[in-house]
Amino acid sequence: MLLDLSEEHREHLAFLPQVDSAGKLNVSSDTVQHGVEGLTYLLTESSKLMISELDFQDSVFVLGFSEELNKLLLQLYLDNRKEIRTILNELAPDLPTYHSLEWRLDVQLASRSLRQQIKPTVTFKLHLNHNGEHNTKVLQTDPATLLHLVQQLEQALEEMKTNHCRRVVRNIK
Amino acid sequence: MELSESVQRGFQTLADPGSFDSNAFALLLRAAFQSLLDAQADEAVLDHPDLKHIDPVVLKCCHAAAATYILEAGKHRADKSTLSTYLEDCKFDRERIELFCTEYQNNKNSLESLLESIGKSLPHITDVSWRLEYQIKTNQLHKMYRPAYLVTLNVENTDSQSYPEISFSCNMEQLQDLVGKLKDASKSLERATQL
């Protein structure tokens, strides 16, 4: 799949070969900005679509750059692709994601309304990340519900190993 | 157990066969337990025809005294001898003491459950739901092809009677981490109960 680079994009990127080896730029700041934006667009679109090496090379070829510059751009793409995809992933509509869980066992011995109790409880601190913010929630449960939670979530993990899920994973590529 | 004068006075009236005959006593006793433990208890629990002959103010006083004592006894896990001793001090006859202790014994579990549930605690997890999805693409990222879980914890708040939910997403590793930690907690619990 080839990248679709519009006229505007090509114009922006056209400035790249003019950067001399010493790195000094004798052009207006606008041109530099456009150049950077063009380069960014090239890399993010390529990463987003996860295009192959060959497709990337072909897409860049139309810009008419030198062999050396093309090679450089390809390397830049391959080196940074994974990280760019990680960052793009964070832009998606998002729910809080699990970070970690701390737990503690307590036994309630008495309260204002009832003395001489032996009431085991499990207290959790659930750490979640949301939009770059770290949230914690303090929760509690009883032993029976804890066992139920473990059982339910183990079933959830088991699902991925079923034939149905394996077939889906194999066939949707 | 510290009981106020009004409780004592109420009980002394209840003990007096002149104010409360056996039938009236039994009815009032049952009414006291009912109004404490029965969630659907009628406000007219004292409106029994066999209690009509008693002055409503006296009726209310004695009902309140009985209810207060029942709660205090429940709170302190009073045993039969404690109950008997106090009732004897209030001049109850043997028969009434026996009736009180029997009614108390019958309702003890419900009473203790009720008392246990009163009080503040942290939000309590009651259930969990999960959803497994296979992510294909977003408008920002194509060709994702990875499984993801959405987990929702159902939570109950004791004081506000609200039922918020806590939802979060996680990948397979994160869910394995979560399950691992939950299993650690439950193994620890098992070991603690065997000590």
Side-chain angles (χ1 to χ4, degrees), chain B residues 4-22 24-26 28-29 51 53-66 86-93 96:
Chain B
S4 67
E5 269 193 47
S6 61
V7 172
Q8 270 194 297
R9 263 181 280 123
F11 263 32
Q12 277 157 1
T13 313
L14 262 181
D16 173 19
S19 314
F20 281 86
D21 60 46
S22 302
F25 173 77
L28 186 104
L29 192 60
L51 294 171
H53 61 282
I54 305 173
D55 176 13
V57 177
V58 170
L59 208 54
K60 276 170 90 166
C61 252
C62 295
H63 177 257
Y86 183 73
L87 295 171
E88 271 165 25
D89 288 346
C90 295
K91 314 272 191 289
F92 277 75
D93 60 46
R96 294 192 184 198

Side-chain angles (χ1 to χ4, degrees), chain B residues 10-175:
Chain B
F11 263 32
Q12 277 157 1
T13 313
L14 262 181
D16 173 19
S19 314
F20 281 86
D21 60 46
S22 302
N23 193 31
F25 173 77
L27 282 170
L28 186 104
L29 192 60
R30 230 154 271 148
F33 278 104
Q34 207 179 334
S35 44
L36 288 173
L37 300 172
D38 187 357
Q40 274 99 39
D42 218 287
E43 275 158 18
V45 73
L46 292 175
D47 258 358
H48 198 279
D50 288 351
L51 294 171
K52 286 259 187 298
H53 61 282
I54 305 173
D55 176 13
V57 177
V58 170
L59 208 54
K60 276 170 90 166
C61 252
C62 295
H63 177 257
T68 309
Y69 183 70
I70 291 166
L71 286 175
E72 279 299 300
K75 177 163 96 182
H76 292 279
R77 310 265 192 175
D79 57 12
K80 188 168 177 187
S81 73
T82 315
L83 295 175
S84 300
T85 312
Y86 183 73
L87 295 171
E88 271 165 25
D89 288 346
C90 295
K91 314 272 191 289
F92 277 75
D93 60 46
R94 244 321 88 196
E95 196 193 319
R96 294 192 184 198
I97 293 179
E98 277 307 310
L99 185 61
F100 191 99
C101 291
T102 311
E103 278 295 312
Y104 184 83
Q105 199 54 40
N106 290 342
N107 289 296
K108 200 158 114 85
N109 286 339
S110 314
L111 182 64
E112 283 170 8
S113 281
L114 177 69
L115 290 170
E116 194 191 2
S117 68
I118 296 171
K120 281 201 184 300
S121 74
L122 294 168
H124 191 101
I125 302 174
T126 52
D127 202 357
V128 65
S129 344
W130 55 268
R131 186 179 87 191
L132 171 60
E133 59 187 24
Y134 193 58
Q135 291 175 342
I136 301 176
K137 61 159 74 164
T138 68
N139 64 333
Q140 304 286 357
L141 197 60
H142 295 199
K143 300 191 190 169
M144 290 166 79
Y145 307 135
R146 60 179 186 215
Y149 287 95
L150 178 62
V151 177
T152 301
L153 296 170
N154 298 89
V155 171
E156 206 176 85
N157 265 330
T158 49
D159 43 359
S160 54
Q161 285 296 301
S162 65
Y163 301 90
E165 277 180 358
I166 296 177
S167 291
F168 58 89
S169 67
C170 52
N171 61 27
M172 197 127 178
E173 274 148 14
Q174 289 165 335
L175 187 59

